[in-house]
Amino acid sequence: MELSKRLRAVADLVSPGLIIADVGTDHAYVPIQLVEEGQIPSAIAMDINEGPLLRAEKHIREHGLEHKIETRRSSGLKELKVQEAQSMIAAGMGGALIIQILSDCPEIVISLKECILQPQSEIGKVRKFLIAHACAIVEENMVYEDGKFYPMMRVVPGKKEEVPYTEEEYKYGRILLRENHPVLLEFLKREIQQKGRILDSLTKRADLGGGGKTRIRELTEEKESLERAAARYH
């Protein structure tokens, strides 16, 4: 079995030797791969829906890993007990859902050594939530696959950030910016170009109402934020 580029990058963020709880596991590809590679001893594959769990169970059986990977129906982390796992994965879901999963079970989150998160949306809000709740972002990555950009992070609960984040760091990732991550730069360039084209189109229109002028202001601010982030590359 070969993981997609996105899931491979998620798997690579998991610290070796930890038992993982894979929330929203779907096909259980990541825990299967990590167990087969010997990176982790065991895993709990969790999903709120029966269909994904049945698919996960099928794949686990096909790989002969029933004794190492347990499936469990659960809404987020609600059916996980303290100390059952040391690492959790929440990948391929919206940022608001990830925030909800972490908010629902703070006693579980604080007991973990790490959280591997890959929000599909609202990643700035996720970063703000983490920093506000004493969860330090210690590692980040970003991949491009099938026309989409996928940022992801490894987080340590109970560890506070010493230096306040800037707005650009919340939006685009302090570590990605600090490391001059090439995929983030491609994302920034593409977004700057797209915002620029939309602005050019809007400013040429003679029939702009109040809503159009508001949109121009918003786009201008977004484009300037992107340009500030891109300017940090050296």
Side-chain angles (χ1 to χ4, degrees):
M1 183 180 70
E2 186 173 346
L3 295 176
S4 67
K5 185 188 290 187
R6 174 181 72 89
L7 290 181
R8 180 71 261 176
V10 168
D12 287 343
L13 287 175
V14 176
S15 297
L18 303 184
I19 299 170
I20 66 166
D22 186 24
V23 179
T25 192
D26 199 9
H27 294 78
Y29 288 149
V30 171
I32 288 171
Q33 187 75 20
L34 287 173
V35 169
E36 288 191 329
E37 291 173 352
Q39 294 297 310
I40 62 171
S42 61
I44 303 167
M46 309 171 77
D47 208 289
I48 191 172
N49 296 312
E50 185 177 0
L53 281 181
L54 292 174
R55 289 195 294 270
E57 288 169 2
K58 178 176 180 289
H59 286 119
I60 291 164
R61 284 195 305 272
E62 288 172 350
H63 289 260
L65 295 175
E66 302 97 313
H67 60 299
K68 289 193 174 182
I69 303 177
E70 173 192 344
T71 58
R72 188 178 299 176
R73 193 167 184 180
S74 175
S75 174
L77 293 165
K78 290 181 180 178
E79 300 306 319
L80 187 71
K81 300 181 181 69
V82 173
Q83 302 302 328
E84 271 195 301
Q86 296 90 48
S87 177
M88 70 87 80
I89 298 173
M93 60 187 74
L97 180 54
I98 287 178
I99 290 171
Q100 187 65 54
I101 288 169
L102 298 176
S103 299
D104 284 345
C105 301
E107 74 286 356
I108 299 294
V109 174
I110 197 64
S111 74
L112 298 168
K113 291 185 177 180
E114 65 181 20
C115 301
I116 312 301
L117 309 176
Q118 189 263 299
Q120 300 281 67
S121 61
E122 300 182 293
I123 191 162
K125 288 184 180 180
V126 173
R127 289 193 183 101
K128 285 186 177 181
F129 171 86
L130 293 168
I131 302 307
H133 290 79
C135 293
I137 301 166
V138 297
E139 189 174 356
E140 290 185 299
N141 194 9
M142 191 175 196
V143 299
Y144 180 76
E145 184 176 41
D146 297 332
K148 294 182 179 180
F149 291 92
Y150 296 100
M152 60 199 71
M153 63 193 78
R154 184 166 69 88
V155 176
V156 175
K159 182 179 179 181
K160 292 185 178 181
E161 295 282 0
E162 298 297 327
V163 181
Y165 265 52
T166 66
E167 196 59 35
E168 279 70 44
E169 288 171 341
Y170 279 126
K171 288 180 180 178
Y172 313 117
R174 169 178 285 180
I175 296 172
L176 294 176
L177 288 166
R178 183 186 296 158
E179 294 180 348
N180 292 326
H181 199 286
V183 179
L184 174 61
L185 182 58
E186 288 306 309
F187 169 80
L188 295 172
K189 287 179 177 177
R190 190 181 76 168
E191 290 294 301
I192 290 168
Q193 290 176 350
Q194 288 180 348
K195 297 290 189 295
R197 284 195 294 268
I198 298 170
L199 277 168
D200 287 344
S201 175
L202 284 174
T203 53
K204 288 174 183 175
R205 289 178 55 179
D207 59 342
L208 274 181
K213 292 176 182 177
T214 299
R215 185 61 183 139
I216 285 177
R217 283 197 301 272
E218 291 172 349
L219 283 167
T220 300
E221 290 173 2
E222 290 170 12
K223 184 169 178 284
E224 288 173 350
S225 176
L226 288 158
E227 289 169 342
R228 284 194 298 270
R232 292 178 57 160
Y233 278 73
H234 51 77

